[in-house]
Amino acid sequence: MKNGNSNTKLILLHPYIQKQGSSNKLWLLAFISFFTIAFLLTLIYTRESITGKITAATTTVTGPSSSSVSAAFGGAPLPTTVVNTLLHYASKSNDSYRMTHTELKQISDVLRKCSSPCNFLVFGLTPETLLWKSLNHNGRTVFIEENRYYAAYYEELHPEIDAFDVQYTTKISETKELIASAKEQIRNECRPVQNLLFSECKLGLNDLPNHVYDVDWDVILIDGPRGDGPEGPGRMQPIFTSGVLARSKKGGNPKTHIFVHDYYRDVEQISGDEFLCRENLVERNNWLAHFVVERMEENSFEYCRNKSNNNNDTSTKASFS
């Protein structure tokens, strides 16, 4: 009789078989992970390379910005050929309100003679804004604009521009009354020498950024705000304010060059005669008047030193000295 256990078979599973299967899975996972990471790195590098090429191509097509031009020349004055080219293209602009080449050159000549760094204050954002910034690339250029939305929009387009908005409180129809009030207050709120930040003079701008009152401005251009129509603010306030800033300088060059654009209009001429003075009018070309106003002593209470000469024209050209 056969033993009932003789046909029984014992099957043993060696643990090595299970280890081998797990090891293969780990190697496969590592292999897939490696190629996934390599693919992602390649994709990122390729996209950055393409973006860099597009940016370089855009820069080449559109040309350098004003800041890159400034960086290229460093602290040196702009070469004459560059200045002349800028003036040429600015005067050929299609904008109806642009300045003529003669007017642009008159201001440019003064900026080029200004000791570096030159402090340049401009009332109004105009078609020439970027030109003024470029011509004074070694100095400080600040723009004052009546439209707060346009000032913010312009700064967003050109971050290198320093533009500040201001609220004008005057009307062209009130010109004579405002000038009469200022003359009555010449020993008080409308003194020729003072810090307008603390002034209540109706023709003084007292809400500009604080640092504007602390800077010794070398050149001031008045090409804003709007000067047409009886309800427009006119330029009485910028003209009066510029005269006070020039006479109240603490240091730097004792002379300030003040340009008034659209000087053919009554408001500009009347305000200029009263607060910038005919004795300081050194040149008038087309629609642009050029005054040179000197620093005064703090106890001075007259806008014009020689009132008898206010009606005399002069064509003498100014220079920094």
Side-chain angles (χ1 to χ4, degrees), residues 43-44 53 75 104 108 117 120 142 144 151 182 194 229 245 271 277 285 292 298 319-320:
L43 181 63
I44 293 171
K53 290 180 179 179
L104 295 173
S108 171
F120 187 20
V142 173
I144 307 298
Q194 62 170 310
L245 290 174
S271 301
C277 309
N285 199 329
V292 177
E298 191 171 355
S319 60
F320 279 89

Side-chain angles (χ1 to χ4, degrees), residues 222-223 235 260-266 268-269 287-288:
I222 302 169
D223 203 7
R235 298 179 181 174
V260 183
H261 196 222
D262 300 318
Y263 200 68
Y264 67 93
R265 297 189 297 215
D266 291 340
E268 281 76 3
Q269 290 190 37
W287 292 0
L288 186 68

